[in-house]
Amino acid sequence: MGICVISHPLEAKKLGFVINSQRKDPSLSVASYPKFYPHITLASLPQSLETELDKIAGSIPTFDAHAPLRCYFDQVKIGDHYFRSVYVAIKPTREILSLYEEVHQRLGLEPRCPAFPHMSLCYIDDADAINGERDRFYDELRTSAVIGFKTEEPEAVQLNCGSEGTNNWVDNFKAHEVWAVRCEGPVESWEVLHKIPLN
């Protein structure tokens, strides 16, 4: 089970253009390139907490609507794990790190989210990764100009979430909700159990 920071639906729709538009090669594993909602994993929870959704909701602090939590893109990286195949490293701002620490403290859990904070762009099976699929996906993002670099921050990335031939650059999103998700079985079968607003 996990809890995830979710963007506003309008921003998620833009990000989904990058995350869910990959054409699946039939030679790849059925586990590669599942469709999923853009998110940042905030915590991995023991299954026992599935019946304590109120406790999970109570662990999530709210943010002032006039000063929302924004998640800024830093780099796009190739990972070495299915759930970190190719991902956007999110800037570790004081606000998002405080949220991470506070949730774990309130739930009495040891923080264990590798590469926190990050937003995955795809999940690719290890067998396909051995054959270079993660590198191929990253290279395709670069050569098709989906990944761009901000002129005022040369090392910070932005993603072109426009349809073919159009530009719609995104370099951050507003944290809108936290979802408690049952993460069992194939990714596309995961079930959202509870949605907790952040403001």
Side-chain angles (χ1 to χ4, degrees):
M1 184 179 178
I3 52 176
C4 308
V5 175
I6 302 296
S7 70
H8 187 278
L10 293 177
E11 292 177 304
K13 185 176 181 180
K14 294 178 185 178
L15 294 168
F17 176 79
V18 176
I19 292 172
N20 296 314
S21 64
Q22 177 68 24
R23 293 186 182 89
K24 179 74 178 283
D25 185 325
S27 68
L28 297 176
S29 164
V30 294
S32 291
Y33 296 113
K35 295 186 182 303
F36 60 90
Y37 203 92
H39 65 275
I40 297 170
T41 298
L42 184 59
S44 294
L45 308 180
Q47 209 63 37
S48 59
L49 283 176
E50 189 173 299
T51 58
E52 299 188 58
L53 296 177
D54 288 343
K55 181 177 181 179
I56 293 171
S59 75
I60 310 298
T62 57
F63 289 80
D64 187 328
H66 300 291
L69 171 62
R70 297 209 71 91
C71 303
Y72 296 93
F73 301 169
D74 192 14
Q75 302 175 57
V76 175
K77 296 185 175 184
I78 301 169
D80 58 1
H81 188 278
Y82 180 66
F83 293 120
R84 294 182 300 281
S85 290
V86 179
Y87 63 90
V88 177
I90 303 295
K91 290 185 178 180
T93 61
R94 178 178 55 82
E95 292 80 8
I96 198 165
L97 292 179
S98 295
L99 172 63
Y100 180 69
E101 292 167 3
E102 188 166 350
V103 166
H104 283 85
Q105 185 177 43
R106 290 185 182 186
L107 291 175
L109 299 173
E110 193 72 29
R112 288 183 301 179
C113 287
F116 181 86
H118 76 270
M119 179 186 74
S120 288
L121 296 176
C122 64
Y123 299 148
I124 294 173
D125 187 80
D126 288 344
D128 294 328
I130 289 171
N131 292 323
E133 187 62 21
R134 291 174 187 158
D135 296 272
R136 190 206 63 76
F137 178 77
Y138 175 82
D139 291 342
E140 183 176 308
L141 294 181
R142 290 292 303 270
T143 57
S144 60
V146 172
I147 299 174
F149 295 89
K150 299 170 67 175
T151 54
E152 66 275 21
E153 294 179 75
E155 295 182 6
V157 299
Q158 52 188 346
L159 299 177
N160 187 359
C161 299
S163 57
E164 194 169 332
T166 63
N167 290 327
N168 191 345
W169 292 100
V170 175
D171 64 2
N172 73 90
F173 67 82
K174 174 187 172 185
H176 177 64
E177 292 177 328
V178 169
W179 289 1
V181 181
R182 179 185 291 131
C183 307
E184 294 179 359
V187 172
E188 293 183 16
S189 70
W190 290 358
E191 181 182 356
V192 178
L193 303 175
H194 194 40
K195 297 182 179 182
I196 305 138
L198 282 172
N199 52 43

